[in-house]
PDB file of all heavy atoms in Angstrom:
ATOM      1  N   PRO O 118    -129.293 -67.624 -19.400  1.00 98.00           N
ATOM      2  CA  PRO O 118    -129.663 -67.631 -20.822  1.00 98.00           C
ATOM      3  C   PRO O 118    -130.444 -66.374 -21.222  1.00 98.00           C
ATOM      4  O   PRO O 118    -131.388 -65.988 -20.538  1.00 98.00           O
ATOM      5  CB  PRO O 118    -130.552 -68.870 -20.938  1.00 98.00           C
ATOM      6  CG  PRO O 118    -130.126 -69.758 -19.821  1.00 98.00           C
ATOM      7  CD  PRO O 118    -129.755 -68.843 -18.705  1.00 98.00           C
ATOM      8  N   VAL O 119    -130.013 -65.774 -22.329  1.00 98.00           N
ATOM      9  CA  VAL O 119    -130.663 -64.545 -22.812  1.00 98.00           C
ATOM     10  C   VAL O 119    -130.808 -64.584 -24.324  1.00 98.00           C
ATOM     11  O   VAL O 119    -130.227 -65.442 -24.991  1.00 98.00           O
ATOM     12  CB  VAL O 119    -129.829 -63.287 -22.447  1.00 98.00           C
ATOM     13  CG1 VAL O 119    -129.831 -63.038 -20.954  1.00 98.00           C
ATOM     14  CG2 VAL O 119    -128.396 -63.402 -22.984  1.00 98.00           C
ATOM     15  N   TYR O 120    -131.612 -63.662 -24.843  1.00 98.00           N
ATOM     16  CA  TYR O 120    -131.598 -63.407 -26.286  1.00 98.00           C
ATOM     17  C   TYR O 120    -131.584 -61.913 -26.520  1.00 98.00           C
ATOM     18  O   TYR O 120    -131.956 -61.136 -25.643  1.00 98.00           O
ATOM     19  CB  TYR O 120    -132.782 -64.082 -26.989  1.00 98.00           C
ATOM     20  CG  TYR O 120    -134.159 -63.515 -26.701  1.00 98.00           C
ATOM     21  CD1 TYR O 120    -134.751 -62.605 -27.575  1.00 98.00           C
ATOM     22  CD2 TYR O 120    -134.874 -63.900 -25.567  1.00 98.00           C
ATOM     23  CE1 TYR O 120    -136.023 -62.098 -27.328  1.00 98.00           C
ATOM     24  CE2 TYR O 120    -136.135 -63.389 -25.308  1.00 98.00           C
ATOM     25  CZ  TYR O 120    -136.712 -62.488 -26.192  1.00 98.00           C
ATOM     26  OH  TYR O 120    -137.969 -61.982 -25.942  1.00 98.00           O
ATOM     27  N   LEU O 121    -131.116 -61.523 -27.688  1.00 98.00           N
ATOM     28  CA  LEU O 121    -131.071 -60.107 -28.039  1.00 98.00           C
ATOM     29  C   LEU O 121    -132.301 -59.760 -28.854  1.00 98.00           C
ATOM     30  O   LEU O 121    -132.673 -60.492 -29.777  1.00 98.00           O
ATOM     31  CB  LEU O 121    -129.849 -59.808 -28.917  1.00 98.00           C
ATOM     32  CG  LEU O 121    -128.477 -59.669 -28.295  1.00 98.00           C
ATOM     33  CD1 LEU O 121    -127.488 -59.277 -29.392  1.00 98.00           C
ATOM     34  CD2 LEU O 121    -128.480 -58.629 -27.203  1.00 98.00           C
ATOM     35  N   HIS O 122    -132.911 -58.635 -28.510  1.00 98.00           N
ATOM     36  CA  HIS O 122    -134.060 -58.141 -29.265  1.00 98.00           C
ATOM     37  C   HIS O 122    -133.692 -56.749 -29.759  1.00 98.00           C
ATOM     38  O   HIS O 122    -133.441 -55.841 -28.953  1.00 98.00           O
ATOM     39  CB  HIS O 122    -135.289 -58.109 -28.349  1.00 98.00           C
ATOM     40  CG  HIS O 122    -136.515 -57.570 -29.005  1.00 98.00           C
ATOM     41  ND1 HIS O 122    -137.184 -56.457 -28.554  1.00 98.00           N
ATOM     42  CD2 HIS O 122    -137.191 -57.989 -30.103  1.00 98.00           C
ATOM     43  CE1 HIS O 122    -138.236 -56.220 -29.335  1.00 98.00           C
ATOM     44  NE2 HIS O 122    -138.262 -57.137 -30.284  1.00 98.00           N
ATOM     45  N   ILE O 123    -133.606 -56.604 -31.070  1.00 98.00           N
ATOM     46  CA  ILE O 123    -133.103 -55.353 -31.638  1.00 98.00           C
ATOM     47  C   ILE O 123    -134.115 -54.777 -32.619  1.00 98.00           C
ATOM     48  O   ILE O 123    -134.485 -55.430 -33.604  1.00 98.00           O
ATOM     49  CB  ILE O 123    -131.773 -55.601 -32.402  1.00 98.00           C
ATOM     50  CG1 ILE O 123    -130.735 -56.226 -31.471  1.00 98.00           C
ATOM     51  CG2 ILE O 123    -131.247 -54.310 -33.012  1.00 98.00           C
ATOM     52  CD1 ILE O 123    -129.511 -56.770 -32.201  1.00 98.00           C
ATOM     53  N   ILE O 124    -134.579 -53.576 -32.339  1.00 98.00           N
ATOM     54  CA  ILE O 124    -135.371 -52.823 -33.325  1.00 98.00           C
ATOM     55  C   ILE O 124    -134.611 -51.522 -33.546  1.00 98.00           C
ATOM     56  O   ILE O 124    -134.651 -50.622 -32.701  1.00 98.00           O
ATOM     57  CB  ILE O 124    -136.804 -52.500 -32.824  1.00 98.00           C
ATOM     58  CG1 ILE O 124    -137.507 -53.734 -32.261  1.00 98.00           C
ATOM     59  CG2 ILE O 124    -137.618 -51.814 -33.910  1.00 98.00           C
ATOM     60  CD1 ILE O 124    -138.153 -54.634 -33.259  1.00 98.00           C
ATOM     61  N   ASP O 125    -133.920 -51.432 -34.656  1.00 98.00           N
ATOM     62  CA  ASP O 125    -133.077 -50.272 -34.934  1.00 98.00           C
ATOM     63  C   ASP O 125    -132.154 -49.986 -33.736  1.00 98.00           C
ATOM     64  O   ASP O 125    -131.381 -50.839 -33.367  1.00 98.00           O
ATOM     65  CB  ASP O 125    -133.932 -49.044 -35.315  1.00 98.00           C
ATOM     66  CG  ASP O 125    -134.672 -49.267 -36.638  1.00 98.00           C
ATOM     67  OD1 ASP O 125    -134.184 -50.052 -37.472  1.00 98.00           O
ATOM     68  OD2 ASP O 125    -135.740 -48.661 -36.828  1.00 98.00           O
ATOM     69  N   ASP O 126    -132.291 -48.776 -33.137  1.00 98.00           N
ATOM     70  CA  ASP O 126    -131.386 -48.414 -32.040  1.00 98.00           C
ATOM     71  C   ASP O 126    -131.816 -48.953 -30.682  1.00 98.00           C
ATOM     72  O   ASP O 126    -131.103 -48.782 -29.693  1.00 98.00           O
ATOM     73  CB  ASP O 126    -131.287 -46.880 -31.926  1.00 98.00           C
ATOM     74  CG  ASP O 126    -130.687 -46.271 -33.175  1.00 98.00           C
ATOM     75  OD1 ASP O 126    -129.995 -47.003 -33.919  1.00 98.00           O
ATOM     76  OD2 ASP O 126    -130.922 -45.075 -33.426  1.00 98.00           O
ATOM     77  N   GLN O 127    -133.007 -49.563 -30.626  1.00 98.00           N
ATOM     78  CA  GLN O 127    -133.451 -50.114 -29.338  1.00 98.00           C
ATOM     79  C   GLN O 127    -132.910 -51.530 -29.190  1.00 98.00           C
ATOM     80  O   GLN O 127    -133.292 -52.415 -29.949  1.00 98.00           O
ATOM     81  CB  GLN O 127    -134.971 -50.174 -29.264  1.00 98.00           C
ATOM     82  CG  GLN O 127    -135.642 -48.812 -29.292  1.00 98.00           C
ATOM     83  CD  GLN O 127    -137.148 -48.968 -29.478  1.00 98.00           C
ATOM     84  OE1 GLN O 127    -137.752 -49.916 -28.998  1.00 98.00           O
ATOM     85  NE2 GLN O 127    -137.738 -48.024 -30.188  1.00 98.00           N
ATOM     86  N   ILE O 128    -132.063 -51.702 -28.204  1.00 98.00           N
ATOM     87  CA  ILE O 128    -131.442 -53.001 -28.010  1.00 98.00           C
ATOM     88  C   ILE O 128    -131.761 -53.506 -26.607  1.00 98.00           C
ATOM     89  O   ILE O 128    -131.520 -52.801 -25.624  1.00 98.00           O
ATOM     90  CB  ILE O 128    -129.911 -52.907 -28.179  1.00 98.00           C
ATOM     91  CG1 ILE O 128    -129.581 -52.333 -29.559  1.00 98.00           C
ATOM     92  CG2 ILE O 128    -129.246 -54.258 -28.000  1.00 98.00           C
ATOM     93  CD1 ILE O 128    -128.573 -51.234 -29.520  1.00 98.00           C
ATOM     94  N   GLU O 129    -132.316 -54.704 -26.545  1.00 98.00           N
ATOM     95  CA  GLU O 129    -132.634 -55.275 -25.232  1.00 98.00           C
ATOM     96  C   GLU O 129    -131.981 -56.644 -25.106  1.00 98.00           C
ATOM     97  O   GLU O 129    -131.995 -57.432 -26.053  1.00 98.00           O
ATOM     98  CB  GLU O 129    -134.145 -55.468 -25.079  1.00 98.00           C
ATOM     99  CG  GLU O 129    -134.961 -54.191 -25.088  1.00 98.00           C
ATOM    100  CD  GLU O 129    -136.452 -54.527 -25.059  1.00 98.00           C
ATOM    101  OE1 GLU O 129    -136.973 -55.035 -26.068  1.00 98.00           O
ATOM    102  OE2 GLU O 129    -137.082 -54.295 -24.009  1.00 98.00           O
ATOM    103  N   ILE O 130    -131.436 -56.908 -23.938  1.00 98.00           N
ATOM    104  CA  ILE O 130    -130.954 -58.251 -23.621  1.00 98.00           C
ATOM    105  C   ILE O 130    -132.015 -58.860 -22.705  1.00 98.00           C
ATOM    106  O   ILE O 130    -132.187 -58.396 -21.578  1.00 98.00           O
ATOM    107  CB  ILE O 130    -129.575 -58.204 -22.923  1.00 98.00           C
ATOM    108  CG1 ILE O 130    -128.578 -57.419 -23.793  1.00 98.00           C
ATOM    109  CG2 ILE O 130    -129.062 -59.607 -22.650  1.00 98.00           C
ATOM    110  CD1 ILE O 130    -127.228 -57.163 -23.125  1.00 98.00           C
TER     111      ILE O 130
END
Side-chain angles (χ1 to χ4, degrees):
Chain O
V119 291
Y120 69 97
L121 281 184
H122 178 240
I123 303 168
I124 311 277
D125 295 333
D126 297 339
Q127 295 169 34
I128 303 132
E129 296 175 290
I130 305 173

